């Protein structure tokens, strides 16, 4: 019903909540999540949208919390890959030691279901982590892989981020 539709909508707009909606994104997502029902995967995707909305407001503790809830909620491999990817990104921003575990899980699950976009996003985060760790050679190699992946997906946001890592 209504809850499922709301969850699907906020989950589908995940990049918008991160890149475009600086104000009410977290509140809108939380409102959708308060509804009863909805599939576990749609709830997880909505939680990722909330995590990205929180990150856009520089509220990284909330981003980590919502992305962690998404990992716990996700049922199918595609939703699990997506949730692990964005939990990995949130953890990377705060330099958490578990970052790599989630990014590797995301890339593996996404590859298994043929989700090239999530593979690219997870690998892009790995390039970011490598660069922050002072490993520019590794970061550049991963960024080149991300550029090849995004050439097939048309994902310009991830492509631009990989280009800045490679520069």
């Amino acid at each position: 019903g209504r809850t499922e539709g709301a969850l699907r909508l906020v989950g589908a707009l995940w990049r918008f909540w991160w890149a475009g909606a600086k104000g009410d994104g977290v509140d809108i997502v939380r409102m959708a999540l308060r509804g009863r029902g909805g599939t576990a995967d749609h709830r997880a995707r909505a939680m990722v949208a909330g995590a990205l909305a929180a990150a856009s407001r520089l509220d990284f503790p909330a981003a980590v919390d919502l992305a962690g809830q998404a990992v716990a909620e996700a049922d199918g491999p595609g939703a699990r890959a997506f949730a692990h990817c964005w939990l990995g990104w949130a953890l990377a921003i705060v330099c958490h030691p578990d970052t790599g575990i989630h990014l590797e899980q995301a890339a593996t699950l996404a590859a298994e279901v043929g989700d090239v976009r999530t593979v690219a996003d997870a690998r892009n985060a790995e390039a970011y982590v490598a660069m922050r760790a002072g490993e520019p050679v590794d970061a550049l190699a991963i960024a080149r892989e991300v550029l090849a992946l995004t050439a097939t997906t048309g994902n310009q946001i991830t492509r631009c981020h990989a280009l800045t890592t490679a520069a």
Side-chain angles (χ1 to χ4, degrees):
R2 297 183 110 192
T3 298
E4 183 72 15
L7 293 170
R8 289 180 67 162
L9 180 61
V10 298
L13 294 173
W14 64 276
R15 282 221 194 252
F16 171 73
W17 303 121
W18 172 60
K22 302 286 188 230
D24 299 327
V26 175
D27 297 332
I28 291 168
V29 171
R30 286 196 171 137
M31 192 179 329
L33 288 167
R34 276 194 292 267
R36 293 186 182 179
T39 68
D41 287 353
H42 288 139
R43 293 188 76 73
R45 287 183 182 275
M47 289 170 186
V48 168
L52 292 169
S56 78
R57 297 193 325 196
L58 306 179
D59 185 354
F60 298 112
V64 169
D65 180 57
L66 282 161
Q69 290 177 47
V71 167
E73 181 79 18
D75 186 36
R80 286 196 330 268
F82 188 69
H84 277 288
C85 177
W86 294 105
L87 176 55
W89 259 113
L91 292 172
I93 298 298
V94 298
C95 300
H96 193 281
D98 290 343
T99 299
I101 295 165
H102 292 284
L103 295 174
E104 289 172 21
Q105 186 72 17
T108 299
L109 287 168
E112 288 173 5
V113 297
D115 181 354
V116 178
R117 283 180 185 247
T118 299
V119 171
D121 286 332
R123 294 293 287 152
N124 193 33
E126 291 175 337
Y128 170 79
V129 169
M131 187 59 81
R132 283 191 61 175
E135 300 168 359
V137 173
D138 292 342
L140 182 58
I142 298 167
R144 285 186 176 138
E145 178 188 338
V146 172
L147 291 172
L149 292 167
T150 58
T152 66
T153 66
N155 183 340
Q156 296 303 311
I157 293 171
T158 301
R159 187 170 184 74
C160 288
H161 192 272
L163 284 168
T164 61
T165 300

